[in-house]
Amino acid sequence: MEYYLVKWKGWPDSTNTWEPLQNLKCPLLLQQFSNDKHNYLSQVKRGKANKALKPALAEYIVKKAKQRIALQRWQDELNRRKNHKGMIFVENTVDLEGPPSDFFYINEYRPAPGISLVNEATFGCSCTDCFFEKCCPAEAGVLLAYNKNQQIKIPPGTPIYECNSRCQCGPDCPNRIVQKGTQYSLCIFRTSNGCGWGVKTLVKIKRMSFVMEYVGEVITSEEAERRGQLYDNKGITYLFDLDYESDEFTVDAARFGNVSHFVNHSCDPNLQVFNVFIDNLDTRLPRIALFSTRTINPGEELTFDYQMKGSGDISSDSIDHSPNKKRVRTVCKCGAVTCRGYLN
């Protein structure tokens, strides 16, 4: 007779018991057990004797179960913290990696000590129909960014000015898109190509649609240069220069960020960067929005070019190239035909 070692919910390991199949009323857990066992056996050489294999197999199944619980708890936490409509899912069918230990989910910029973010506009529109009247974009000297299907119609490099908290138009105004947050259900998943975590969409995203904001800790460019050296040595990069008009500030999403923290780089991306101004009209501190460049199908990974600036240009490199500060280059694994070979 087959017996299963059962870890009882809410009880310590010392109370684990061996149970026959007829005592178990948990078909989902049994199916996961079977899947984990099959996945492990498919990864090891079949020639090994069963006696040598069993302890390693048991250890793998226990680790996989603990990982599944940890990832579910992390998924629940992410959905409690988010303030947008789209749900966040977490998936790892590749390895035993669990939730990141030093990452904190935030919904908006977190200013570093000494940096002030004024999130209150000084004026707003009084439109009854922002499509046809002189609205916030016109006051800023630019075109309205969206069409009636909520798709972006301006070229990369053009700033987006949305209606703000002082505007008299309501929440259904067609010029309030980025401020409503991610509308799509997305999945943070473990990639199989060595790129760590990535993000894929679970629903179809139309071309030129707003997908997510890039948020993190707002730091000075001097601090960004210091951190950049450390990140390069670790082979990671989360720094985004806010260089729409000046080069004073940088967004660092390494420890504080949202779903965009997990979006991978591609030299042929399906997301495009735009600078956005809503309640904070300080041109040194634009919000960073990512819009789809084409139709993105369910299950497809989301990517953007880490060297793409809000101006629409490719950044040559914002960190000093002098011989004394030569940076460690991070190899690109995007696999695109147009791959440049390096992330920085």
Side-chain angles (χ1 to χ4, degrees):
M1 182 182 289
E2 278 191 330
Y3 284 84
Y4 294 81
L5 182 61
V6 177
K7 166 71 170 68
W8 297 99
K9 191 173 182 180
W11 293 84
D13 288 345
S14 59
T15 62
N16 291 356
T17 59
W18 288 94
E19 301 290 339
L21 183 60
Q22 63 262 30
N23 287 4
L24 304 180
K25 311 299 180 185
C26 46
L28 178 59
L29 285 176
L30 287 167
Q31 184 61 52
Q32 289 173 341
F33 176 92
S34 177
N35 292 344
D36 291 342
K37 179 180 176 182
H38 173 77
N39 291 338
Y40 179 85
L41 291 174
S42 66
Q43 294 171 19
V44 300
K45 294 181 180 179
R46 293 284 186 174
K48 290 186 177 180
N50 283 340
K51 282 188 178 180
L53 185 65
K54 280 185 177 178
L57 173 57
E59 182 182 10
Y60 173 83
I61 290 175
V62 169
K63 286 182 177 179
K64 198 67 183 173
K66 289 182 177 179
Q67 177 205 48
R68 191 176 291 113
I69 293 170
L71 292 179
Q72 181 63 52
R73 287 174 177 167
W74 184 42
Q75 176 179 299
D76 293 342
E77 179 188 354
L78 294 177
N79 283 291
R80 283 194 302 269
R81 292 182 178 275
K82 72 171 179 66
N83 64 358
H84 52 76
K85 177 182 176 182
M87 294 295 293
I88 304 172
F89 295 87
V90 179
E91 173 188 290
N92 185 353
T93 60
V94 174
D95 55 29
L96 292 169
E97 187 73 18
S101 59
D102 194 27
F103 173 74
F104 304 93
Y105 194 94
I106 58 175
N107 293 293
E108 57 189 19
Y109 284 163
R110 174 191 173 101
I115 296 177
S116 175
L117 299 181
V118 180
N119 287 316
E120 185 177 351
T122 54
F123 62 90
C125 73
S126 55
C127 305
T128 54
D129 190 335
C130 293
F131 256 124
F132 300 105
E133 298 178 47
K134 189 177 182 181
C135 191
C136 300
E139 292 289 348
V142 298
L143 296 173
L144 182 72
Y146 311 112
N147 62 24
K148 289 193 174 182
N149 294 321
Q150 300 185 344
Q151 295 167 297
I152 196 162
K153 64 180 183 179
I154 58 176
T158 307
I160 298 171
Y161 278 83
E162 290 197 355
C163 291
N164 58 57
S165 57
R166 287 190 175 266
C167 294
Q168 295 181 23
C169 53
D172 296 327
C173 167
N175 193 34
R176 297 181 185 271
I177 302 297
V178 172
Q179 60 195 264
K180 291 183 178 178
T182 300
Q183 302 295 298
Y184 305 103
S185 290
L186 305 176
C187 179
I188 300 169
F189 75 106
R190 196 71 176 168
T191 63
S192 57
N193 61 354
C195 290
W197 295 103
V199 179
K200 62 183 176 182
T201 178
L202 299 179
V203 295
K204 183 178 179 180
I205 299 176
K206 294 181 180 180
R207 65 186 297 271
M208 313 308 283
S209 297
F210 170 66
V211 180
M212 69 180 78
E213 260 192 273
Y214 192 89
V215 303
E217 185 182 10
V218 178
I219 59 177
T220 63
S221 295
E222 292 76 18
E223 175 63 12
E225 183 168 343
R226 187 189 70 80
R227 294 187 188 185
Q229 301 288 335
L230 299 175
Y231 294 161
D232 287 342
N233 291 331
K234 295 179 181 178
I236 60 174
T237 175
Y238 294 104
L239 299 175
F240 198 111
D241 293 334
L242 299 180
D243 50 9
Y244 168 66
E245 190 169 90
S246 64
D247 196 18
E248 293 183 47
F249 301 107
T250 295
V251 176
D252 181 4
R255 294 187 68 217
F256 301 94
N258 61 1
V259 176
S260 64
H261 166 98
F262 301 98
V263 176
N264 280 317
H265 162 86
S266 175
C267 297
D268 184 23
N270 51 23
L271 299 179
Q272 171 69 49
V273 174
F274 283 85
N275 291 298
V276 186
F277 299 95
I278 307 175
D279 280 313
N280 188 344
L281 301 178
D282 186 340
T283 54
R284 301 172 303 165
L285 293 163
R287 290 165 67 165
I288 303 300
L290 300 173
F291 285 77
S292 57
T293 59
R294 56 175 175 78
T295 299
I296 307 175
N297 294 314
E300 192 172 345
E301 183 174 4
L302 303 176
T303 58
F304 72 95
D305 191 332
Y306 284 5
Q307 293 189 33
M308 183 67 69
K309 301 191 293 184
S311 63
D313 300 326
I314 298 294
S315 171
S316 59
D317 204 338
S318 62
I319 307 296
D320 193 348
H321 274 283
S322 62
N324 293 332
K325 293 186 177 180
K326 189 172 183 180
R327 299 179 66 183
V328 178
R329 304 203 73 185
T330 304
V331 175
C332 179
K333 300 178 182 178
C334 75
V337 176
T338 56
C339 181
R340 297 188 295 268
Y342 294 94
L343 297 185
N344 53 356

